[in-house]
Amino acid sequence: MKRILFFLTMVLSVAACDPVNEEPQLYPDGKGMFILNEGNFMAGNGSVSFYSFETGMIYNNLFSTRNGRALGDIPMFMTARNDKGYIVVNNSGTIEIVDIKTMESLGTVTGLVSPRQIVISDNKGYVSSLLSDEISVINLSDFTVDHTIDIGATTEAMILSGNSLFAASWSGGNRISVIDTGTDELSGTITTGLEPESMAIDKNGYLWVLCTGGYLNEEIPRLMKISTTTLTTENEFSFRTVSDNPSSLTINNTGDTLYYLDEGIRVMPVNATALPTEALTVAGGGLLYKLAAAPWQGMICVTDAIDYQQKGDLLICNRSGEIIDTEQAGIIPGFMYFVTD
Amino acid sequence: MRVRSSVHIRISMLALSGLRVLFFLFSVIISLPGYSQPSFRDDTIRISAVTVTAPYLAGQVPFSERKIDSVALDRFSGVDLASLLAAYTNLNIKRYGNSGLASVSFRGLSGSHTAVLWNGININDANTGQVDLAIIPVISAGGISITPGGSDLRDVTGSLGGKIELVSENFLDRGSEINLFMSQGSFSNYSSSLTIKTGSNRIAGNFSLWGNTAINDYYYINLNSPSGPEKEKRTNASAKGWGATADISLPLGGSALSGHLWINSTDRQLPGPVTTLQQDYGETQSDNAIRAVLNYRFRPGILRGSITAGGVLSDNKYNNEAYNSRGDNRTAMMTIRMKLATYAGKKTELSLNTGDELQYASSLSFTDKVTRNIFAATATGLYKISGNLTLMSQLRQSVVDDIVMTPEATAGGTFFLGRAGDNRVKFTVSRNVKLPSLNDMYWQPGGNPELRHETSWGGETGWSGKFMLNDSLSLHAELNAYVSRVTDLIQWVPLNATIWTAENVRNARVQGLEALYTLECQMSKGKLVLAGDYSLTISKGYSGDSGDRTNGKQLIYTPLHNASSQIQVYHGLFRGGVSANWESRRFIVADNSEWIKGQLTMDADAGLDISLSRYLLSVDLKILNILNARLESTKNFPMPLRSYALNIRINYNNLKNSKER
């Protein structure tokens, strides 16, 4: 009997130490950011990378390495809540829910029409659509589409201010729809310039909207400052010509400085009276695609899609715009999402 | 008037003077038959641009030309040209699923570098610069020949990769034949055709009518399904089409007149990619085309020649419900060609081909209607140096609208290694150009009217032989090596984050080997045919940017290795065969960081022929993808798993030649 107990004890001890069930860590903890690499259109080779500000290294192909399958076609937006990451995969029509510590897939939301971005409010995920006039509302408990909100226009960028969800109609559109997240009903609209592409909310609660002027350069792009309470335009800044292509408006974590791409990185305090005339870093031969302001030391992160056909680069810049690190990411590196620990 | 940078155009005085000589020579030559052929003279007066050409010294040209045999044409008469070429050649086929768009490329280049001709006229779409082989049924051609490489300058500009020629069958003095073909296959795939051919020594005519329809909901393996690899059913991939050809041939003493007509209509759903989930954008496309050719061959005195006039009207309508995107692309192409040849002494043959192609195109994506006129003249000399050695030189000059293009040239030779059999070595060096497609130049947004033509320098050498190894065993083998440098490759590149534009941004260095054999063994009650071919294609892209990480990488969708093999057995009433094709991985990203794995495709067929008097009943069972493998030539556009087709052919013939019967 003692021998049997000894044997069982040994077996259980070995089993307890067995590392088989522990997946190797694909990327370190701590300050970092996920980069969504969109991949080639229709090739289904989108991927997720992680850049660690602790190690100064990039870790690529996280989703496929962890889950043994491709992420999908055009992952283009990510957010997280309670250690769950929500990755919107546009051309696959899915949202992948992952454990942001391990990148393990926890579920897939299907039944979406060309999803673009997701904003979380309480236990609901609001999903914009490039092709549908409806915003889908996801139940984050069971990862299903609970209901939809018909706003009569397709949507792209979304941002939350209190109980108001601002959804921009980018593709051929010129308006922002305001949805009351308490009732999930349309509570108002704001007319903007053509194709509002990206938005940010500053420390004073103003909504900043970057309008590109249209796919075929129909009008001069403009940056609009809108009151989130009265829904009226407080100020408006026009760019130089119709052929300008500003994009990727974002704001720092203190809400006092705007950043966007326009032949390089442009920096603009929210109390500025004019658009910046000089770029911080000139694009040069690269094709700067997306921009994000890191919540540390004023660092600015930019992706270079190069030619949209090969792996692109991630550029880490200091507050002066000097490139302090360059890392090779996946194909068409785009959206960036920061994690702090 | 369109403005084009003078940098792009190389006008040499030599070229201009050469062109004048060609025009003069042409004028002199054309005047000769004019005395005896008044109607022909009238034609040439009405149409300003003309062509002259000649048949070559038989078998002396240093090009590799491969003909698809009639057995293959019969076996694949119910399918499209892409399927035939995939099974019988090592050409690189890229297709978007079972009935989706399909293109063929030679020697490491793209589908737009492949010229496709029908009865002597170019049928590459002027807008896209290429042909969708998925909507060309095999039955539309009486014969198919394939010429790899761009060294043959006789008929067309732009075949930097190679060319495919479809020709109608000439049934003069051969009797009569009627074929009724019916096929039923997996995924509710039905096709049928009726062919009537008849020919006396005074007139011959062929008529074919065909139709096909397919629901095309087929099974495939989705490797990236959220729940892991799963067998799923493809949907939204239906296709239907119909078409007809009519040919007539009239011998007129020493001359001959023939006319050909081809009507083709196809409607397809275009399913989206299979990424995580199958996509459905509600994409549909319809293609309609009418093609017609009139050919007059004459032989006055020491001259031999032909005049070919033809036209193509095509209409492509595209609809994408999801993106609310529509396309309506229409092209009209009118071609006239003349070929004249004569002997100068016993050892020299001179020929002149001139031709003019007028392209007219409209599209919802063009700001205006577009026309382009391409005049070209090719002078060819064949010199028989000795009994074994023949040299050839060609010079081709094209004038596009009012722009004189860089001259093209080929020099080469054929050396016979032995007097017995067809055992020869051949070699060529050539310089070719390819014009931008009209979409490359005028598509909005992004079309670039300032595009330069692509230019290629290349050379190839090869050996081929046909041998009777004994009374019952024959062998045909061929080995070719080639190298080419293509500059100013046209590629669509991002102008900014949202708009792409066409630019001459890349160069390509291509080299490779091609080997093929056919071994035929006659047996007491039948025969055994073994055939195989292999190609090694090293095709690397370069840009002017030394920091470009794609420099020196294999061009996308170009497998390094491709091999195919067929075995066919005929025994009494029965016949059967297996064909296999293997290709190495296809890179799908310019820096070669991702690829489609190498794949092996195997098909099999078995059938029997029951002959009763003048009737022949043939029944065939085909099994496609017998390995049930996951196949795709375009990423995320899978082909079906194992599938079947049953073909029945009823043939009535009253042929003069007993062997044909």
Side-chain angles (χ1 to χ4, degrees), chain A residues 213-230:
Chain A
Y215 175 62
L216 294 174
N217 299 331
E218 288 93 332
E219 64 179 38
I220 292 177
R222 49 185 141 154
L223 180 63
M224 303 176 72
K225 181 183 177 183
I226 296 168
S227 166
T228 53
T229 51
T230 64

Side-chain angles (χ1 to χ4, degrees), chain A residues 40-45 61 68-73 89-94 96 108-111 114 130-131 170 215-217 245 247 287-289 306-313 328 331, chain B residues 96 223-228 272-279 281 283 322-324 444-445 491-500 506 548-550 556 588-591 593-594 635-637:
Chain A
N40 306 113
F41 182 60
M42 298 208 298
N45 55 354
N61 295 316
R69 63 180 174 89
L71 175 60
D73 205 23
V89 191
N90 168 239
N91 210 36
S92 289
T94 59
E96 290 287 350
T108 306
V109 182
T110 60
S114 198
L130 178 68
L131 301 177
W170 166 64
Y215 175 62
L216 294 174
N217 299 331
N245 284 288
S247 66
L287 201 154
L288 300 188
Y289 185 53
I306 303 180
D307 59 2
Y308 290 99
Q309 295 171 73
Q310 57 179 301
K311 288 182 175 176
D313 288 335
Q328 189 176 30
I331 297 164
Chain B
Y96 289 78
L223 297 177
N224 296 318
S225 169
S227 52
V274 174
T275 53
T276 313
L277 301 169
Q278 184 174 179
Q279 303 299 300
Y281 304 127
E283 272 182 294
Y323 285 92
N324 195 23
Q444 292 300 320
Q491 202 169 348
W492 282 73
V493 295
L495 187 64
N496 54 49
T498 53
I499 296 180
W500 292 52
R506 305 279 288 174
D548 186 345
R549 290 191 286 246
T550 66
I556 60 171
I588 61 166
V589 177
D591 60 10
S593 59
E594 296 182 18
K635 180 73 173 170
N636 292 317
F637 288 87

Side-chain angles (χ1 to χ4, degrees), chain A residues 5-290:
Chain A
L5 282 174
F6 174 75
F7 178 74
L8 283 173
T9 306
M10 291 302 291
V11 168
L12 289 172
S13 304
V14 170
C17 300
D18 188 356
V20 168
N21 292 329
E22 286 190 17
E23 297 277 1
Q25 192 169 7
L26 296 179
Y27 48 98
D29 295 329
K31 293 176 182 175
M33 67 175 171
F34 293 101
I35 303 107
L36 300 185
N37 307 292
E38 295 182 4
N40 306 113
F41 182 60
M42 298 208 298
N45 55 354
S47 63
V48 184
S49 302
F50 183 81
Y51 178 81
S52 169
F53 287 91
E54 313 279 353
T55 65
M57 293 174 63
I58 195 166
Y59 305 83
N60 291 320
N61 295 316
L62 302 178
F63 185 90
S64 58
T65 303
R66 173 62 70 206
N67 300 295
R69 63 180 174 89
L71 175 60
D73 205 23
I74 321 293
M76 61 173 307
F77 191 86
M78 179 179 183
T79 191
R81 164 86 52 108
N82 300 332
D83 284 346
K84 286 191 180 75
Y86 299 84
I87 303 172
V88 180
V89 191
N90 168 239
N91 210 36
S92 289
T94 59
I95 295 176
E96 290 287 350
I97 296 105
V98 296
D99 181 329
I100 62 168
K101 297 287 186 187
T102 64
M103 202 45 62
E104 180 186 358
S105 174
L106 304 175
T108 306
V109 182
T110 60
L112 299 167
V113 179
S114 198
R116 300 292 277 188
Q117 298 193 5
I118 180 170
V119 165
I120 293 176
S121 174
D122 297 327
N123 197 39
K124 296 185 288 189
Y126 294 84
V127 183
S128 58
S129 173
L130 178 68
L131 301 177
S132 166
D133 289 351
E134 295 176 336
I135 288 176
S136 299
V137 183
I138 310 291
N139 181 336
L140 299 185
S141 300
D142 58 9
F143 307 146
T144 59
V145 179
D146 187 77
H147 60 278
T148 58
I149 306 166
D150 190 346
I151 60 165
T154 63
T155 45
E156 176 81 7
M158 295 191 297
I159 200 163
L160 195 63
S161 176
N163 287 333
S164 295
L165 176 71
F166 296 86
S169 295
W170 166 64
S171 179
N174 67 340
R175 82 175 213 207
I176 290 170
S177 304
V178 188
I179 293 159
D180 182 335
T181 57
T183 61
D184 283 348
E185 290 179 352
L186 189 65
S187 60
T189 59
I190 307 164
T191 300
T192 66
L194 196 55
E195 300 211 333
E197 185 251 6
S198 43
M199 298 187 289
I201 291 180
D202 69 17
K203 63 181 183 182
N204 303 313
Y206 286 107
L207 175 69
W208 293 81
V209 182
L210 179 61
C211 305
T212 64
Y215 175 62
L216 294 174
N217 299 331
E218 288 93 332
E219 64 179 38
I220 292 177
R222 49 185 141 154
L223 180 63
M224 303 176 72
K225 181 183 177 183
I226 296 168
S227 166
T228 53
T229 51
T230 64
L231 307 185
T232 55
T233 301
E234 298 284 324
N235 207 345
E236 190 172 296
F237 305 89
S238 287
F239 286 75
R240 304 170 297 272
T241 66
V242 290
S243 56
D244 288 349
N245 284 288
S247 66
S248 208
L249 177 72
T250 189
I251 197 163
N252 63 353
N253 63 326
T254 51
D256 56 17
T257 308
L258 296 165
Y259 300 84
Y260 60 89
L261 293 173
D262 179 19
E263 297 176 352
I265 302 167
R266 307 274 173 162
V267 183
M268 177 181 171
V270 294
N271 56 6
T273 55
L275 294 173
T277 54
E278 300 294 328
L280 257 193
T281 303
V282 176
L287 201 154
L288 300 188
Y289 185 53
K290 297 289 181 185

Side-chain angles (χ1 to χ4, degrees), chain B residues 525-527 569-576 606-610:
Chain B
K525 289 187 176 178
K527 69 177 177 179
V569 181
Y570 303 82
H571 186 82
L573 300 177
F574 301 97
R575 59 193 148 73
L608 77 164
D609 299 317
I610 301 168

Side-chain angles (χ1 to χ4, degrees), chain A residues 312-329:
Chain A
D313 288 335
L314 169 69
L315 312 178
I316 308 294
C317 307
N318 63 19
R319 67 174 69 245
S320 305
E322 295 165 0
I323 297 172
I324 56 175
D325 192 11
T326 301
E327 299 287 337
Q328 189 176 30

